[in-house]
Amino acid sequence: MPAFPPRSQRFLDLLAQRVLVGDGAMGTLLYQRGVALDANFEHLNLIRPHLVAQVHEDYAAAGARVLETNTFGANRLRLGAIGLEHKAAAINAAGARLARQVAGADRFVAGSVGPLPAARDSDRDLEEVQKREILHEQMAALADGGVDLFILETFSSLADLLLALEVAAELGLPASAQLAFLEGGRTREGVAAAQAVGVLDEAGAALIGANCGAGPRDLLAVLRDIAPLTRRPLAAYANSGFPQYRDGRFLYLATPDYFASMGEEMVRSGAALIGGCCGTTPEHIQALAKRVADLAPTTRPSAPAPPRVAPAPPPAQPETVNFLGEWGRRPIITVELDPPRGLNCDKVLAAAERLRAAGVDAISLAENPLARIRLGNLALAWRIQERTGVPVIAHVTCRDRNLIGLHSEMMGAHLLGIRNILAVTGDPVSLGGEAGASSVFDLNSIGLLQLLSALNEGRNLLGSDLDGRSEFLLGAAFNPNVRNLEGQIRRLEKKIAAGARFVQTQPVYSAAVLEELLAQTAPLNIPVLVGILPLVSERNAEFLHNEVPGITLPDEVRMRMRGLGGAEGIREGLAIAGELIAAGQGRVGGWYLMPPFGKVELAVALMEEIRRRAAG
């Protein structure tokens, strides 16, 4: 064990005895307080230091014992994009001094070091010696400014993180090595959490952990994976759920209470240093600090068992039909399936076969929901139609393709025989794009409907002739879970004008919301399939309410799911869904069922309930 400065050693000694709470997002608060999203937050250390100091003071007052410097992107490469590369050392030193002044004697200061971007205007990767020089410049300035440790955060490159650990060792300070893991516990470069933890342990990281990525639930899963694999203290800095774009601003969904409850679970799973990343505020940290006050690091849990995979079903070959053909004569039922996260689609195909046998009218196939990587849904839509003969409604987002790509993909989808498209804007990727992805959004859902309508007329959106025309039936999404539906109705009217001919709604959990939805959409004279997502547990309910855009659960529904899981949770979730189906009997023309976690048997049960009630 290397000899560290007294304050650094005190931090490590204290960490072995009790859980320490870190602070939350710096950028989120600066953004909320009027700093433009495209401004350089780190430069504020020099030009508006009082604003940065106020953020530190607010987190300290909330209960944070570890304050991070406002230096995440203060390296020469990132600063060079705005002509400030010559101020890298000054910005970092100022950031350390600001945090040190607020921290005083009772708190610790962590020098925030983010990953290096690709070299500007260059097709070649930086050499290791160049990377080391850039990291050393930043980290040495932080050390000179008085930090007690480094937090090396949001790294996707394990090699770069190891290089930063070497620099930390040269400077004689401990470091928390934190990767950003995506869905499935892998980094953007494909490194598994279990693989990374062993390498970081051997490299001498004082703490090992994760930050950013998705919401608290995913980070908790990563923590549980790595906890049995190292005796090093673990660090966890989760985002506040998934971001939602409203009124020109990015908002995060998780409430402070939910964030704190998930934080407590992280502590009980092994976290010793815990704070917040994107979207978290002093309110989140205050709730977290109260929740984990006086807790000691817990005994590490066992590794989870691997999931089981369903066997492949036999093939079938029918043709597609118009799924709305019986509208008005009986309830139309569509069921949502998610493409797999990898190449094996046997489980999804088996679910589609079961839905075909149950008489589903169409399968609604999501596209990279919550901005996570999955198998392409257009190819899977073709495979499902080829095998089962069930029409597929393919969701198409504007997030992942530019205008050229959307045209090409939609023409290709028509060639494959896909005729039903649900046009959606798409969930944005995480604010700042630390995971390596970016949102395109050349169009929104209305623009996409206009593009698809143009294809139906034999031209592209720019007016060029296509030598043929598509035959898409276009759908639109609708969110009834808002305080005032007027804005949503006006937007839906624009979608209908752009070519939408049916609607699928976000999940509804309130009879009152259902009543207003039916009343407000009736004058539009368009088929509306009401969304039903059956709950299965309290945990599931709280995740949906806190972390998923467009879903809101009434307090009474959350109370009904309180403490429930397993068979009891499923029964209560189906009961809640059944009550909504009963409330819509005779007035709802179609239902859009979304079975959670691929539990297609829940959708089949609700299909039977819908048909039983329709039969009288």
Side-chain angles (χ1 to χ4, degrees):
M1 174 73 73
F4 294 122
R7 287 190 57 82
S8 302
Q9 191 58 53
R10 181 180 163 220
F11 166 79
L12 295 175
D13 293 342
L14 191 58
L15 200 65
Q17 303 165 20
R18 56 168 299 178
V19 173
L20 293 181
V21 174
D23 56 11
M26 172 65 72
T28 295
L29 257 64
L30 293 173
Y31 177 51
Q32 288 179 355
R33 296 174 184 184
V35 178
L37 193 59
D38 58 355
N40 184 271
F41 292 162
E42 291 82 1
H43 191 210
L44 297 174
N45 295 341
L46 297 180
I47 61 174
R48 298 181 69 184
H50 61 283
L51 192 58
V52 176
Q54 184 61 60
V55 173
H56 289 318
E57 289 169 5
D58 291 347
Y59 279 123
R65 294 292 306 279
V66 180
L67 302 180
E68 281 192 60
T69 58
N70 178 36
T71 55
F72 173 80
N75 61 68
R76 191 192 312 163
L77 283 181
R78 290 187 184 273
L79 293 171
I82 55 172
L84 292 175
E85 60 270 23
H86 62 291
K87 290 185 177 291
I91 288 172
N92 282 281
R97 286 194 299 270
L98 286 169
R100 180 82 273 156
Q101 289 165 9
V102 174
D106 296 327
R107 296 178 180 85
F108 303 96
V109 174
S112 173
V113 179
L116 299 178
R120 189 182 180 193
D121 299 328
S122 173
D123 293 328
R124 297 180 59 188
D125 290 333
L126 288 175
E127 299 292 336
E128 183 175 308
V129 65
Q130 295 172 297
K131 291 181 178 180
R132 181 187 293 274
E133 178 181 314
I134 294 166
L135 287 167
H136 192 279
E137 178 184 35
Q138 178 182 10
M139 295 168 69
L142 288 169
D144 290 342
V147 302
D148 304 310
L149 69 148
F150 297 110
I151 287 189
L152 312 174
E153 54 183 344
T154 326
F155 277 69
S156 59
S157 167
L158 182 58
D160 284 0
L161 183 54
L162 292 171
L163 193 58
L165 280 174
E166 291 178 14
V167 174
E170 292 171 8
L171 295 170
L173 290 176
S176 179
Q178 298 171 194
L179 288 159
F181 292 102
L182 306 179
E183 187 179 36
R186 289 182 178 271
T187 69
R188 176 166 51 88
E189 295 189 349
V191 178
Q195 174 188 354
V197 70
V199 176
L200 294 172
D201 196 331
E202 187 174 340
L207 297 91
I208 297 173
N211 72 285
C212 203
R217 191 183 67 167
D218 279 14
L219 196 145
L220 175 61
V222 167
L223 202 67
R224 287 173 171 167
D225 283 346
I226 67 176
L229 306 178
T230 179
R231 296 296 95 194
R232 303 275 184 182
L234 299 181
Y237 281 69
N239 286 351
S240 178
F242 297 95
Q244 188 166 357
Y245 193 70
R246 289 182 183 168
D247 300 325
R249 299 179 77 87
F250 285 97
L251 302 177
Y252 284 78
L253 302 176
T255 63
D257 286 344
Y258 175 78
F259 182 82
S261 68
M262 294 297 287
E264 182 179 10
E265 286 199 51
M266 292 179 199
V267 169
R268 300 198 184 283
S269 297
L273 173 62
I274 184 163
C277 201
C278 300
T280 54
T281 66
E283 288 73 24
H284 291 85
I285 298 306
Q286 184 177 45
L288 177 65
K290 289 180 179 178
R291 197 71 173 251
V292 304
D294 301 322
L295 288 183
T298 189
T299 304
R300 300 291 170 82
S302 301
R308 298 181 64 183
V309 180
Q317 304 268 342
E319 351 178 322
T320 62
V321 294
N322 183 345
F323 79 96
L324 289 175
E326 292 289 309
W327 187 267
R329 292 189 285 272
R330 63 173 177 80
I332 299 299
I333 303 174
T334 67
V335 176
E336 179 170 294
L337 297 177
D338 287 335
R341 294 165 181 162
L343 296 174
N344 190 330
C345 56
D346 291 345
K347 187 175 180 179
V348 178
L349 292 172
E353 287 281 12
R354 185 166 183 187
L355 292 172
R356 177 196 60 78
V360 73
D361 292 295
I363 290 169
S364 198
L365 200 59
E367 179 181 47
N368 295 336
L370 297 176
R372 294 175 168 184
I373 297 171
R374 290 181 180 267
L375 182 73
N377 70 335
L378 297 178
L380 183 57
W382 171 80
R383 178 65 66 86
I384 289 173
Q385 290 187 165
E386 178 191 47
R387 176 167 292 192
T388 68
V390 176
V392 174
I393 304 166
H395 299 203
V396 176
T397 76
C398 305
R399 176 195 58 236
D400 303 328
R401 310 174 187 88
N402 65 14
L403 187 63
I404 298 170
L406 284 168
H407 277 97
S408 299
E409 287 288 297
M410 293 303 91
M411 289 189 285
H414 191 267
L415 182 65
L416 291 174
I418 297 166
R419 296 293 181 263
N420 308 298
I421 301 291
L422 186 78
V424 293
T425 300
D427 302 310
V429 298
S430 59
L431 185 61
E434 288 87 358
S438 59
S439 299
V440 179
F441 295 131
D442 280 356
L443 301 174
N444 59 16
S445 57
I446 295 172
L448 178 55
L449 285 166
Q450 292 168 338
L451 185 155
L452 292 163
S453 293
L455 297 183
N456 281 347
E457 295 169 2
R459 56 181 176 81
N460 67 23
L461 194 58
L462 305 180
S464 298
D465 184 75
L466 299 179
D467 193 23
R469 62 180 62 197
S470 61
E471 299 172 352
F472 291 123
L473 178 63
L474 306 180
F478 182 79
N479 180 15
N481 300 306
V482 294
R483 290 183 180 178
N484 189 335
L485 271 186
E486 289 183 9
Q488 288 291 313
I489 291 294
R490 286 196 298 270
R491 187 166 178 80
L492 181 55
E493 289 172 342
K494 292 179 181 178
K495 291 179 180 181
I496 294 170
R501 296 297 175 261
F502 70 93
V503 174
Q504 290 191 150
T505 81
Q506 291 279 19
V508 174
Y509 291 96
S510 161
V513 169
L514 178 61
E515 290 292 336
E516 187 176 6
L517 164 64
L518 295 175
Q520 294 271 13
T521 57
L524 301 179
N525 196 29
I526 187 172
V528 176
L529 294 103
V530 176
I532 298 285
L533 195 167
L535 304 170
V536 296
S537 66
E538 177 189 7
R539 187 181 188 84
N540 169 231
E542 291 302 308
F543 170 72
L544 292 173
H545 181 73
N546 282 280
E547 293 200 45
V548 179
I551 298 181
T552 303
L553 273 63
D555 290 342
E556 59 268 25
V557 169
R558 295 168 66 194
M559 286 299 298
R560 287 176 65 173
M561 297 302 297
R562 188 66 52 82
L564 298 183
E568 282 188 338
I570 290 173
R571 278 196 299 270
E572 189 64 22
L574 287 175
I576 293 167
E579 291 164 12
L580 284 165
I581 290 168
Q585 182 180 351
R587 296 179 300 150
V588 173
W591 299 95
Y592 168 35
L593 308 180
M594 293 163 264
F597 311 115
K599 293 181 180 293
V600 72
E601 66 275 8
L602 302 184
V604 172
L606 292 177
M607 289 170 66
E608 292 171 353
E609 173 76 2
I610 292 166
R611 288 172 179 151
R612 181 184 66 79
R613 290 187 174 277

